[in-house]
Amino acid sequence: MPPKHYRPPGKKKEGNAAKYITRTKAIKYLQVSLTTFRKLCILKDVTPRLPKKKFEGNHKTYYRMKDITFLAHERLLEKLRQIRSHEKKVNKAKARKNKELAERLLNRMPTYKLDRLILERYPTFVDALRDLDDCLTMVHLFAALPAVEGERIQVKRIHNCRRLSHEWQAYISRTHSLRKTFISVKGIYYQAEVQGQKITWLTPHALQQVLTDDVDFNIMLTFLEFYETLLQFVNFKLYHSINVKYPPILDPRLEALAAELYALFRYVATGSARKPAESQFIASIEEKKDLNEKMDTAESQSDLRLAQLQHQLPSNEPGALMQLLEDSNNDDDELDQDTMECKTLFKNLKFFLSREVPREALLFIIPAFGGVVSWEGEGAPFEETDEDIAYQIVDRPTQGHKFLSRHYVQPQWVFDCVNARIILPADAYMFGMVPPPHLSPFVDDEAEGYVPEYAETIKQLQAAAKKNVMPLPELDDQGLTDPQNLLAEGLMDRTQANEAAEERRKLQLLEKQYHDELKMEMSGITYSATLSNKKPDNTGSDEMQHKDEVMVPVSTEKDDEDDRAKLYMSRKKRGLYEAIEISNQRKKDKVALLKERKRKAAASKSG
């Protein structure tokens, strides 16, 4: 007689075998191919899982049975099966050399939309913004690829990515949401703050890209298909938040000159500056458009389209200035302090870009911080001979014709000014010179333990710009640190001056004692002889001696406490603690290496 809880083998699974399933069994369960299964998992955000016990071996890929059951009831699965069966019909018609039937079947290919999946994966708009980093990086990557017929990527996909990336950049620039930039070997990093969410993405350099065979573009195109839909929804929501119609209507002349980003700037600046009455006028036009569509009168539709273009687009005369930063209906009081700093960094400054500098990156950054920019070529808002130009961005060793009324700087100057939030001196960034080191704003120097020399210089310039420490021409460096002089200049009150004077007096006493001890050590006087010669009423020296006696065994006591604490730790916590110690030691070694390199560089420069 079998036991009470006996279950015959193979009847029912329990434990990890019931909760997880391998990829091969999941494909058989769903009755799809491996390509379709990968596409379905990417679109539905189903990822492999790692069970506690791999019941079929370590070389298998496991999924949750709950996720696979969820995919089995997905409506998109049936649509993908229809597409696969339709492709078989097309291939069969091509094999029979029936071109007419093949073309007819290709024109009737089943399609699907991802709108419902976007709503399922991102119930709120903030959720979509949090997951936008990879989306923007992927879209900007494909926007930089060559749009050539016959390649593995369709040309219309590349054009769509370029349009979506320009729409995103136009919104970020118009709302002054850009916060950080950094030029690296991989590309240019950007960080923007949209509705309280920090979004970081990477754009490749403006170089000729080559499609290699090492990359599986089918998987990347599946991700891109989802990201295009997501970014289009995000752009739609953001444009309507600033009272701009989406999708934008661009100036055909600027679009033909490959100045789509500049055309978007003009459109967004015009749309966000509409008055409420004008918005009602546009709404009434749209209502008329719906009525005309019902009446099917093509002539009235064309007239309405022309009216929209005339109302939304500014004038396009060749010498017109770029209307990037027209004041919107929102007051400046509603903006936070960070946005106001970004909006006024390059305010009332005009820039001109030479043809050798990265135009799209600078055309995105400079207007985002309040500047007005032009470039060399057709469609530019103003010419190079404009006398109001304050800075000209060049990247060549020599400059032929120079204007004395402007500064000639390298592109790095713009990025460093943006990260420092101040206008840096342009002398170190002149053309033909080696610029200062380009510091990353994403690294916390104080947490890393090493502050570069140029970072300290930037901090001093920031303090001077904020007037935290005002340089006094009649005082030297010693006078700047004197509390009485600062009190006389009105930079601090009397209480702060007294506290600063007390701290300064203590530091001077400690410095004097240190120098006296050094002199006694150089003269050969021992520490015991010094103690015997001391007076009994020297309480300060007794306190210092007591502190020295107490401070001697501190390190050994701390090590003993750490060793005792390790004994009571579990193996997992002990391993984590040792990993933290190894990480801290690596950080210290890295700081020591940087200091050694700095010392060698200074020695070689002086020698």
Side-chain angles (χ1 to χ4, degrees):
M1 183 176 178
K4 183 178 181 180
H5 299 289
Y6 174 75
R7 180 179 288 111
K11 290 295 183 181
K12 187 177 181 181
K13 298 177 181 178
E14 40 179 38
N16 289 332
K19 294 179 181 178
Y20 297 91
I21 186 174
T22 60
R23 188 180 68 180
T24 305
K25 291 183 178 181
I27 291 173
K28 290 181 180 179
Y29 180 81
L30 296 174
Q31 298 181 0
V32 294
S33 62
L34 179 59
T35 306
T36 306
F37 178 74
R38 282 175 175 168
K39 186 171 186 177
L40 198 60
C41 289
I42 290 172
L43 296 177
K44 293 291 292 182
D45 195 22
V46 175
T47 56
R49 301 294 179 174
L50 189 63
K52 292 183 179 179
K53 183 179 179 182
K54 299 181 179 180
F55 50 90
E56 290 199 17
N58 296 328
H59 59 286
K60 297 283 187 177
T61 303
Y62 296 89
Y63 290 85
R64 281 183 178 172
M65 190 63 196
K66 187 186 296 184
D67 294 338
I68 302 303
T69 309
F70 179 60
L71 291 180
H73 297 83
E74 175 59 39
R75 286 180 284 177
L76 184 61
L77 180 60
E78 185 63 28
K79 187 65 69 172
L80 293 177
R81 286 173 179 165
Q82 293 178 8
I83 293 175
R84 183 166 179 80
S85 63
H86 198 85
E87 289 176 350
K88 289 182 179 179
K89 293 179 183 179
V90 174
N91 294 333
K92 189 175 181 180
K94 289 181 179 179
R96 292 180 177 179
K97 297 183 180 180
N98 192 348
K99 295 183 179 179
E100 294 181 359
L101 179 59
E103 291 178 0
R104 190 162 59 248
L105 289 173
L106 285 174
N107 293 330
R108 292 160 48 191
M109 182 72 72
T111 58
Y112 58 90
K113 292 184 178 181
L114 303 178
D115 303 352
R116 182 178 52 82
L117 297 183
I118 299 293
L119 185 60
E120 286 181 1
R121 291 180 59 174
Y122 308 107
T124 61
F125 185 61
V126 177
D127 296 332
L129 291 178
R130 289 172 183 165
D131 201 23
L132 209 60
D133 296 358
D134 295 336
C135 172
L136 290 172
T137 302
M138 180 77 74
V139 170
H140 281 83
L141 172 63
F142 277 85
L145 294 180
V148 181
E149 294 286 352
E151 293 287 347
R152 286 168 286 181
I153 305 174
Q154 297 179 358
V155 176
K156 63 178 182 180
R157 300 287 296 274
I158 297 177
H159 287 325
N160 189 34
C161 291
R162 188 172 180 84
R163 178 183 62 83
L164 291 173
S165 63
H166 284 165
E167 289 173 359
W168 168 262
Q169 292 180 6
Y171 171 80
I172 295 297
S173 181
R174 177 64 187 88
T175 56
H176 310 284
S177 302
L178 192 62
R179 295 294 178 264
K180 297 178 182 178
T181 59
F182 179 66
I183 307 172
S184 70
V185 179
K186 296 180 181 179
I188 303 177
Y189 286 90
Y190 299 101
Q191 186 179 89
E193 186 175 355
V194 180
Q195 297 188 7
Q197 303 298 323
K198 292 184 179 180
I199 303 170
T200 307
W201 71 96
L202 173 67
T203 62
H205 293 292
L207 303 173
Q208 182 66 28
Q209 306 292 333
V210 180
L211 304 182
T212 61
D213 298 330
D214 302 334
V215 181
D216 189 357
F217 283 96
N218 293 325
I219 295 179
M220 295 186 68
L221 287 174
T222 305
F223 277 104
L224 182 65
E225 181 182 2
F226 179 79
Y227 287 153
E228 282 178 329
T229 309
L230 173 61
L231 187 56
Q232 192 168 2
F233 271 96
V234 171
N235 288 344
F236 173 82
K237 181 73 173 178
L238 294 176
Y239 271 60
H240 278 260
S241 66
I242 58 174
N243 196 23
V244 177
K245 187 178 179 181
Y246 187 87
I249 304 172
L250 301 184
D251 185 356
R253 186 180 67 88
L254 293 174
E255 196 172 3
L257 294 172
E260 298 95 341
L261 188 58
Y262 172 54
L264 273 168
F265 286 158
R266 295 172 65 106
Y267 174 80
V268 172
T270 307
S272 61
R274 292 179 192 153
K275 298 179 181 179
E278 294 176 344
S279 300
Q280 295 176 1
F281 174 71
I282 295 297
S284 63
I285 289 181
E286 292 176 353
E287 292 177 359
K288 291 180 181 179
K289 181 178 178 180
D290 295 337
L291 294 174
N292 291 333
E293 285 180 353
K294 295 178 181 178
M295 295 173 62
D296 294 331
T297 55
E299 183 179 359
S300 60
Q301 287 181 358
S302 60
D303 294 340
L304 179 64
R305 188 70 172 174
L306 182 59
Q308 286 183 344
L309 285 173
Q310 290 177 352
H311 183 74
Q312 291 176 355
L313 293 178
S315 58
N316 294 324
E317 53 268 13
L321 294 179
M322 181 167 44
Q323 304 295 329
L324 294 179
L325 301 170
E326 295 184 13
D327 295 331
S328 60
N329 296 329
N330 299 328
D331 295 330
D332 292 343
D333 299 338
E334 300 178 1
L335 302 177
D336 55 351
Q337 183 178 1
D338 210 12
T339 306
M340 285 300 300
E341 289 181 1
C342 297
K343 185 177 181 180
T344 57
L345 179 62
F346 294 145
K347 190 176 181 180
N348 300 327
L349 294 179
K350 297 177 71 173
F351 295 80
F352 188 84
L353 309 179
S354 298
R355 63 177 181 271
E356 71 274 3
V357 302
R359 190 178 83 176
E360 283 199 4
L362 295 174
L363 188 60
F364 167 49
I365 294 173
I366 294 175
F369 289 86
V372 181
V373 63
S374 181
W375 61 90
E376 186 175 349
E378 296 184 5
F382 50 86
E383 299 294 334
E384 184 180 3
T385 57
D386 193 338
E387 296 182 356
D388 295 334
I389 296 176
Y391 295 93
Q392 182 166 346
I393 314 299
V394 297
D395 197 8
R396 61 182 72 173
T398 58
Q399 179 73 19
H401 181 71
K402 293 177 61 178
F403 293 88
L404 300 178
S405 59
R406 67 185 66 169
H407 297 278
Y408 290 85
V409 293
Q410 301 182 33
Q412 182 185 331
W413 177 83
V414 178
F415 292 85
D416 289 347
C417 288
V418 166
N419 295 330
R421 303 286 177 86
I422 57 172
I423 303 295
L424 296 174
D427 299 337
Y429 297 89
M430 294 180 63
F431 61 92
M433 297 179 59
V434 178
H438 184 48
L439 305 177
S440 174
F442 301 97
V443 177
D444 190 358
D445 297 327
E446 296 180 357
E448 292 294 328
Y450 176 76
V451 180
E453 184 178 354
Y454 191 60
E456 296 177 353
T457 304
I458 291 178
K459 287 182 180 179
Q460 294 175 1
L461 293 174
Q462 289 174 342
K466 294 179 181 178
K467 298 181 180 180
N468 290 339
V469 178
M470 297 178 61
L472 306 177
E474 69 274 5
L475 299 175
D476 54 0
D477 295 337
Q478 185 69 22
L480 282 173
T481 59
D482 191 359
Q484 298 299 327
N485 291 330
L486 294 176
L487 177 62
E489 293 293 331
L491 297 178
M492 61 170 59
D493 56 10
R494 186 168 298 278
T495 304
Q496 294 177 348
N498 293 335
E499 293 176 357
E502 184 66 22
E503 288 289 332
R504 188 181 180 190
R505 187 184 64 80
K506 291 180 179 179
L507 289 176
Q508 289 176 353
L509 289 176
L510 290 175
E511 185 178 3
K512 182 177 180 302
Q513 181 183 356
Y514 174 72
H515 287 297
D516 293 339
E517 291 177 355
L518 278 181
K519 290 179 182 179
M520 288 188 293
E521 185 178 357
M522 293 176 63
S523 60
I525 301 175
T526 60
Y527 184 70
S528 58
T530 307
L531 290 176
S532 61
N533 294 332
K534 282 183 181 281
K535 297 181 181 180
D537 58 344
N538 195 354
T539 57
S541 300
D542 294 340
E543 291 178 358
M544 294 299 295
Q545 178 185 354
H546 179 66
K547 288 182 181 180
D548 293 339
E549 292 176 356
V550 173
M551 290 296 291
V552 169
V554 165
S555 60
T556 57
E557 289 182 2
K558 187 177 184 303
D559 294 339
D560 294 341
E561 289 178 1
D562 293 343
D563 294 338
R564 284 195 298 269
K566 284 183 181 179
L567 294 176
Y568 295 102
M569 288 182 182
S570 62
R571 182 178 299 177
K572 183 177 181 180
K573 291 183 178 179
R574 191 184 304 120
L576 182 61
Y577 181 75
E578 291 175 356
I580 293 174
E581 286 184 336
I582 292 173
S583 176
N584 293 336
Q585 186 61 37
R586 286 178 180 173
K587 189 180 294 184
K588 292 179 182 178
D589 295 342
K590 183 179 179 181
V591 171
L593 180 61
L594 291 174
K595 290 182 179 179
E596 181 65 20
R597 287 179 180 175
K598 180 181 178 181
R599 187 187 62 80
K600 289 181 179 180
S604 62
K605 187 180 294 186
S606 61

